[in-house]
Amino acid sequence: MTNSARPQFRLRGRRFLAAATAFFIAIAGYAGEKDGDRTGIGSGADTDGWNDASSGVFPDWLQVNFNGSHVLSSVTVVTLQDNCPGPAEPDAAMTFSAFGMTAFDVQVWNGSSWTTVGSVTGNDKVMRNVTFAPVAASAIRIVCNNALSNYCRLVEVEARDDRNWAAATNGASATASSSLSAACPVAAIIDGERKGPNWGSGGGWNDATPNAYPDWARIDFSGHQWFDQVSVYALQDNYPNPVEPTNQTTFARYGITSFEVQVWNGVNWIGMGSVRN
């Protein structure tokens, strides 16, 4: 392995506003749309999802109030699967043809009025993630404008702040234990590019101590942030022609095989996760 093809490392932070921390006030007796279960298993029971009561009459709405004001940048809406007796974990490709919501708006309460931050029409996806510019809100509302089989049906609603706190565009900065050269800068790990193009020409970070471990890369945020996830992207085998990585993309040549994720709590570095092999 040459010095110009050693590992790239990136951290990605995200704040998650768990639906379970909110409370449901729209229809008494139904809380299944915020219980963390996206499958809707056992739909028809009071705890497995929401079904409006006005057959063939639209719009209907479901409202979730938070325990205070939060900054949001995405809302995930999960409608009922066709195979509701035996549902599977939904993904972005799963479609419906029997019971799902085909048109809806996502609204946020800004303290004085409801503002629409996203609209979906012609929908056939069980799970839709609606993203928008970050906005402070104390509640969200899903307004169902149309649906199949006469009723609006929701299995799960989740609200998040999906901003990458480790991005330079969000005020982050990066330092490292060492850097091989100016061609392998640590600043490259917070540029928003996951593939690592232009490796050896500013496309990723390379430490300067061959076969000497540990090494570290540090990301300082613009201030104190809440997040529940860190994503790490190592160098691909075919780094001259990299592809957008997924959770299934593997390496056999240059990747990091063992690492830890730590957070600074103001006093100490605390280990939050370890990966081996």
Side-chain angles (χ1 to χ4, degrees):
M1 180 170 64
T2 65
N3 281 339
S4 64
R6 296 184 65 213
Q8 178 186 16
F9 188 61
R10 173 187 291 170
L11 302 180
R12 182 175 179 86
R14 183 190 67 163
R15 185 180 180 185
F16 175 64
L17 302 176
T21 65
F23 61 92
F24 178 54
I25 66 168
I27 305 292
Y30 286 88
E33 81 299 327
K34 59 180 184 63
D35 62 1
D37 177 26
R38 295 176 170 178
T39 64
I41 188 167
S43 289
D46 281 355
T47 57
D48 296 310
W50 170 67
N51 197 124
D52 79 278
S54 54
S55 176
V57 179
F58 304 100
D60 299 282
W61 55 266
L62 178 144
Q63 179 176 328
V64 179
N65 284 20
F66 304 138
N67 59 351
S69 181
H70 295 284
V71 175
L72 310 177
S73 62
S74 77
V75 171
T76 300
V77 177
V78 185
T79 191
L80 187 62
Q81 299 179 29
D82 289 352
N83 185 21
C84 50
E89 187 67 26
D91 58 24
M94 181 181 287
T95 60
F96 64 79
S97 60
F99 307 118
M101 294 196 312
T102 57
F104 62 90
D105 299 324
V106 175
Q107 299 179 338
V108 299
W109 180 254
N110 62 13
S112 59
S113 62
W114 289 103
T115 300
T116 299
V117 293
S119 296
V120 176
T121 58
N123 182 50
D124 67 349
K125 298 295 192 297
V126 170
M127 182 171 66
R128 291 296 296 260
N129 190 48
V130 179
T131 60
F132 42 88
V135 59
S138 58
I140 59 173
R141 181 178 283 184
I142 308 303
V143 179
C144 174
N145 297 312
N146 208 351
L148 300 183
S149 300
N150 300 319
Y151 289 101
C152 295
R153 300 173 178 89
L154 274 172
V155 168
E156 181 77 358
V157 174
E158 298 171 356
R160 297 180 178 83
D161 185 349
D162 282 331
R163 282 178 290 178
N164 178 9
W165 296 117
T169 53
N170 285 325
S173 60
T175 53
S177 54
S178 66
S179 295
L180 183 65
S181 70
C184 302
V186 70
I189 69 175
I190 57 172
D191 64 359
E193 174 57 68
R194 298 174 173 180
K195 295 187 294 186
N198 304 312
W199 183 260
S201 300
W205 171 64
N206 198 120
D207 79 277
T209 56
N211 297 316
Y213 304 100
D215 301 282
W216 54 263
R218 168 176 169 165
I219 312 299
D220 283 84
F221 304 143
S222 59
H224 187 86
Q225 307 294 351
W226 290 91
F227 58 97
D228 73 338
Q229 173 179 289
V230 173
S231 299
V232 178
Y233 300 88
L235 184 62
Q236 300 180 28
D237 289 351
N238 186 20
Y239 63 87
N241 300 290
V243 298
E244 188 64 26
T246 70
N247 288 335
Q248 286 71 49
T249 304
T250 61
F251 64 79
R253 303 185 67 184
Y254 307 124
I256 298 175
T257 58
S258 178
F259 64 90
E260 298 178 9
V261 174
Q262 300 176 340
V263 298
W264 180 253
N265 66 2
V267 179
N268 301 304
W269 287 104
I270 306 298
M272 302 300 293
S274 298
V275 176
R276 300 288 182 268
N277 301 316

